[in-house]
Amino acid sequence: MVHRFDALILGAGAAGLMCAMEAGKRGRRVAVLERSDRPGKKILISGGGRCNFTNLHCRPENFLSANPHFAKSALARYTPTDFLALVEKHQIPYHEKTLGQLFCDRSASDILNMLEKECRAVGVAIFLNTKIQVVTRTTEFVVRSANAEFHAPALVVATGGLSIPKIGATSFGYDLARQFGLKIRDPWPGLVPLVLEPEDRSHYCDLAGVSVEVVASCDGQKFREKMLVTHRGLSGPAILQVSSYWKKPQPVHIDLAPDQEVTAVFRDPKAPRTSSSLRAQLRRLLPSSLADRWLDLHMLNSWTNPALAAFERQVHEWTVTPAGTEGFDKAEVTAGGVDTDELAAKTMESRKVPGLFFIGEVVDVTGHLGGFNFQWAWASGAAAGQAL
Ligand SMILES: Cc1cc2nc3c(=O)[nH]c(=O)nc-3n(C[C@H](O)[C@H](O)[C@H](O)COP(=O)(O)OP(=O)(O)OC[C@H]3O[C@@H](n4cnc5c(N)ncnc54)[C@H](O)[C@@H]3O)c2cc1C
């Protein structure tokens, strides 16, 4: 069976649905082809089921890309306020959790229902269980699935990245880009827990569950948020943020007591210089199990001022060289992707192949933790949708 449309969108995730509704609003006849049995599965599991759907403080600096300027145009033309207006139009209750992060009060399904409703209102056709077998281009794009053929002059690739293969992530978008001669920046897992080397693991991982506010830094980027010890390494927002910048064998630096001085009390000549008083000071700043473990591993061998200063430095500059990350199975996002040099920043259209667009996570633009990845999906989806 042959279906003809003005535009075909591959992938009914955040970016694909936004693009479809924007194009539909402009009167385009749009089909979204989705291999899974339902749209927006990642939206449903996002933000712990509450979907951190945008961030009020979204700036270009919240994104990684080989070209840090590329995302600016799309982000400026579709802002968090634009998405919020849509959320409010649908009377979806939401709240700001922290640092400008907006979450649904009820459930992430509110966001998915809203996008589906908007798509229905403008006549977007969504084809589920549609596994694409071949894409070709003659005078127009032809997409073949097992039992249908779709024709359109424009094709938008919104098939996401490699993170969480168990809910359907594939390399499809990258393969298609390569098929059409577009360059790819090798993808790597972002916003992902770090795994420690065996020795560090044996020192710290029995403390799994312990959490503390730190400043974690890597590759010139710093994040002050919580760190969590896990059974295999380190996680929590601060670590997830630096993980996107981490490449083996770089070290990660962790300030365990930001803006605090553990040894200040010892400036008083009357203060007893003993391990129990040092333990008491460290326990003021760190969870006691972590403070005790730190002292077991870093106990001073003298009580001189230089030894105290060295101890202080270590607390603020814990240098960890991770063995690796938990990989795409646990990564919240895929960094790298379709090289932005290949795309027009205003429309997301390929410079080499007119009518071919790439949006969302498949593009080499990756947000920090905190609603930025959805904001990129909305903004890049809207940019392409308005150009179709
Ligand atoms: C656990 C988790 C929690 C997250 N929480 C947040 C959060 O709270 N806030 C935030 O901003 N970001 C969050 N993210 C990141 C965010 O979900 C993604 O960045 C965003 O969904 C990317 O949108 P996308 O449309 O590009 O891709 P996706 O949402 O991944 O959609 C791609 C779609 O394409 C389909 N597809 C794949 N291959 C094919 C094919 N060959 N043919 C047809 N269809 C195909 C997939 O089934 C999928 O429906 C989270 C991610 C994870 C994994």
Side-chain angles (χ1 to χ4, degrees):
M1 185 175 191
V2 176
H3 304 274
R4 290 182 192 283
F5 288 91
D6 296 328
L8 301 173
I9 298 173
L10 307 186
L17 292 173
M18 172 56 79
C19 179
M21 79 188 222
E22 285 297 320
K25 272 192 220 161
R26 297 173 57 253
R28 301 293 182 267
R29 290 170 46 259
V30 181
V32 185
L33 313 185
E34 167 60 55
R35 71 199 284 272
S36 169
D37 57 356
R38 61 174 309 177
K41 278 193 178 167
K42 234 177 227 178
I43 297 176
L44 293 177
I45 62 163
S46 68
R50 294 261 167 92
C51 186
N52 177 193
F53 55 80
T54 193
N55 192 300
L56 292 173
H57 311 310
C58 185
R59 288 166 301 133
E61 298 78 62
N62 298 115
F63 296 85
L64 295 82
S65 172
N67 176 359
H69 302 293
F70 177 81
K72 287 181 178 170
S73 165
L75 291 170
R77 283 181 309 120
Y78 193 93
T79 65
T81 315
D82 293 321
F83 193 76
L84 206 48
L86 194 60
V87 168
E88 288 177 352
K89 177 180 137 195
H90 286 259
Q91 298 178 328
I92 295 172
Y94 66 90
H95 60 280
E96 179 179 347
K97 196 163 166 191
T98 171
L99 305 169
Q101 301 169 6
L102 300 189
F103 283 77
C104 296
D105 286 354
R106 293 187 304 228
S107 151
S109 59
D110 280 350
I111 298 295
L112 181 56
N113 292 341
M114 173 187 87
L115 296 169
E116 289 188 85
K117 209 165 160 184
E118 289 284 331
C119 282
R120 271 197 303 277
V122 292
V124 171
I126 300 181
F127 293 81
L128 299 175
N129 300 306
T130 301
K131 189 156 182 245
I132 292 132
Q133 292 175 334
V134 195
V135 177
T136 52
R137 177 171 177 263
T138 49
T139 50
E140 56 181 2
F141 291 93
V142 178
V143 177
R144 282 197 196 90
S145 69
N147 41 22
E149 197 171 288
F150 300 86
H151 292 227
L155 181 71
V156 184
V157 183
T159 47
L162 297 171
S163 45
I164 322 283
K166 75 169 186 276
I167 62 161
T170 66
S171 63
F172 181 89
Y174 311 120
D175 299 341
L176 196 70
R178 285 194 194 97
Q179 178 192 327
F180 283 99
L182 275 64
K183 271 185 297 167
I184 302 292
R185 298 239 165 214
D186 280 346
W188 72 95
L191 302 180
V192 64
L194 297 174
V195 176
L196 293 178
E197 291 286 3
E199 192 184 353
D200 280 333
R201 223 187 290 175
S202 70
H203 287 156
Y204 298 104
C205 287
D206 62 319
L207 303 178
V210 167
S211 151
V212 60
E213 183 173 300
V214 301
V215 173
S217 49
C218 180
D219 196 26
Q221 300 289 323
K222 277 185 187 207
F223 296 92
R224 183 173 183 152
E225 288 187 62
K226 287 264 164 100
M227 174 187 86
L228 174 74
V229 180
T230 70
H231 291 290
R232 285 164 46 85
L234 300 174
S235 186
I239 298 298
L240 296 178
Q241 299 280 31
V242 290
S243 74
S244 299
Y245 292 90
W246 181 76
K247 293 261 171 64
K248 202 170 179 169
Q250 281 176 318
V252 171
H253 300 284
I254 299 168
D255 180 347
L256 288 168
D259 300 334
Q260 307 277 354
E261 201 184 346
V262 187
T263 56
V265 69
F266 299 115
R267 275 201 286 273
D268 178 351
K270 291 196 284 299
R273 293 191 170 195
T274 62
S275 54
S276 60
S277 60
L278 184 58
R279 186 175 305 273
Q281 293 309 311
L282 201 56
R283 280 180 162 210
R284 275 192 318 114
L285 304 176
L286 300 183
S288 35
S289 57
L290 180 59
D292 291 353
R293 181 62 50 83
W294 188 264
L295 276 182
D296 292 347
L297 295 165
H298 300 91
M299 188 41 96
L300 282 74
N301 41 27
S302 79
W303 291 95
T304 60
N305 286 343
L308 281 167
F311 180 86
E312 185 75 45
R313 262 198 314 278
Q314 274 184 314
V315 171
H316 298 290
E317 274 180 33
W318 183 26
T319 301
V320 181
T321 305
T325 74
E326 292 284 5
F328 288 112
D329 283 353
K330 298 273 170 65
E332 198 166 303
V333 80
T334 303
V338 176
D339 195 320
T340 56
D341 286 353
E342 300 281 5
L343 307 175
K346 201 172 163 200
T347 61
M348 306 293 133
E349 186 173 10
S350 160
R351 295 181 187 282
K352 283 184 192 139
V353 187
L356 180 63
F357 298 72
F358 288 84
I359 57 173
E361 200 174 311
V362 73
V363 178
D364 173 31
V365 174
T366 305
H368 288 170
L369 188 75
F372 301 104
N373 284 298
F374 278 133
Q375 189 55 38
W376 170 245
W378 315 137
S380 58
Q386 286 156 16
L388 288 173

